[in-house]
Amino acid sequence: MDFFGIPIWVVLLVCFGVFCASFMDAIGGGGGIISLPTYLLAGLPMHFALGTNKLSSCIGTVASTVRYVKNGYVDWFLGIPSIVLALVGAHLGTRLHLAMDEQYLKLVLLFVLPVIAVILLKKKDLPEEQGPLNKWLRRGIVWGASLIFGAYDGFYGPGTGTFLLLSFCYLAKMDVRTASGNVKLVNLASNVGALFTSLAAGKVLIPLGLISAVFATAGQYIGAGLALKNGSKIVRPVILVVILLLAGKVLLELFGIA
């Protein structure tokens, strides 16, 4: 049995993987660590896997973004410049990727990720309330992080949302819910930019992307609801899982296994 020429087992595998990835992404970021390998496991060539993943993740991210906006957990003054800066950073990161071996970044991540994990384990919770910080310093940190991790997204990508969330919470002293809402704005913008590029190149399996987007939307909506309800109690453990998965991915890639 086929779905627009795609075997039904491929559709079911992708939908399950995308739902799990979107659920995790809505809470702590890093959904691409699961969703992209799912598309590759289903047999899609890399460029089609990247493009189709962007279609489903874009539509799914809208659901969680809208939920944060409706509940008032988006700071638009911080968010709009962040979107622009993240797009600029992504462009610069992509250009750097073309000129430099990403192996160097992976080696840096192997040292950085354990440090982040230790910080998370030592701190009881992510902040439930906004901390005291000069408003211009907060803006500088948020906008700077958007530019830096936008560049990281263009250069390598996995875990971008998680790194943004940690920067917003620990450095900019934002509460975890507003930080998550603003991260969604940045992620949505970068996903849309990448999606249009893939569509223009004809590297998107639109039927598969649309059906998996239904499951991405469900995962994002449910995950965002849990994050809004439980705050740091659920976000912190999910971030630790993301860091563990990302570290595993980096190690596998360095040894030529993934």
Side-chain angles (χ1 to χ4, degrees):
M1 185 176 179
D2 289 348
F3 175 82
F4 286 92
I6 304 169
I8 195 66
W9 72 267
V10 171
V11 176
L12 294 174
L13 172 64
V14 167
C15 288
F16 176 74
V18 165
F19 174 83
C20 295
S22 299
F23 177 80
M24 182 177 79
D25 192 73
I27 297 171
I33 299 171
I34 294 176
S35 60
L36 183 58
T38 298
Y39 281 107
L40 293 172
L41 184 63
L44 273 68
M46 174 59 80
H47 288 128
F48 278 95
L50 286 166
T52 308
N53 181 50
K54 287 301 180 186
L55 176 56
S56 59
S57 63
C58 273
I59 296 173
T61 303
V62 170
S64 57
T65 304
V66 168
R67 194 157 192 180
Y68 280 108
V69 171
K70 284 179 65 177
N71 284 274
Y73 289 116
V74 170
D75 185 326
W76 291 103
F77 190 88
L78 291 173
I80 293 174
S82 294
I83 291 171
V84 176
L85 288 164
L87 289 172
V88 171
H91 173 71
L92 295 174
T94 302
R95 290 176 65 90
L96 184 62
H97 174 85
L98 296 173
M100 178 181 169
D101 192 338
E102 69 181 33
Q103 296 291 96
Y104 295 114
L105 179 61
K106 292 174 185 177
L107 290 171
V108 171
L109 282 174
L110 284 181
F111 290 98
V112 172
L113 290 173
V115 173
I116 296 173
V118 168
I119 291 172
L120 274 170
L121 289 170
K122 289 182 73 173
K123 290 179 177 287
K124 280 191 173 182
D125 295 303
L126 292 167
E128 297 286 349
E129 302 290 339
Q130 181 173 284
L133 190 67
N134 177 275
K135 65 179 181 180
W136 283 107
L137 181 56
R138 174 176 288 114
R139 291 166 185 172
I141 291 171
V142 169
W143 295 338
S146 298
L147 178 65
I148 292 168
F149 291 114
Y152 167 79
D153 197 20
F155 187 86
Y156 183 56
T160 300
T162 303
F163 295 143
L164 281 168
L165 182 60
L166 292 174
S167 298
F168 290 1
C169 286
Y170 287 147
L171 300 179
K173 307 295 184 184
M174 296 173 69
D175 67 274
V176 65
R177 293 173 178 83
T178 305
S180 297
N182 278 69
V183 166
K184 286 300 161 192
L185 284 180
V186 175
N187 276 346
L188 182 58
S190 61
N191 282 340
V192 168
L195 173 60
F196 277 111
T197 302
S198 296
L199 284 169
K203 299 297 184 182
V204 181
L205 291 179
I206 294 176
L208 181 59
L210 290 176
I211 189 64
S212 60
V214 175
F215 291 83
T217 300
Q220 288 276 359
Y221 188 84
I222 294 170
L226 286 175
L228 287 168
K229 181 179 179 181
N230 298 293
S232 182
K233 291 178 182 177
I234 190 168
V235 174
R236 184 169 166 269
V238 169
I239 289 177
L240 285 169
V241 171
V242 171
I243 289 171
L244 181 63
L245 290 174
L246 180 53
K249 174 180 171 62
V250 171
L251 282 170
L252 290 173
E253 288 178 346
L254 284 172
F255 285 104
I257 300 173

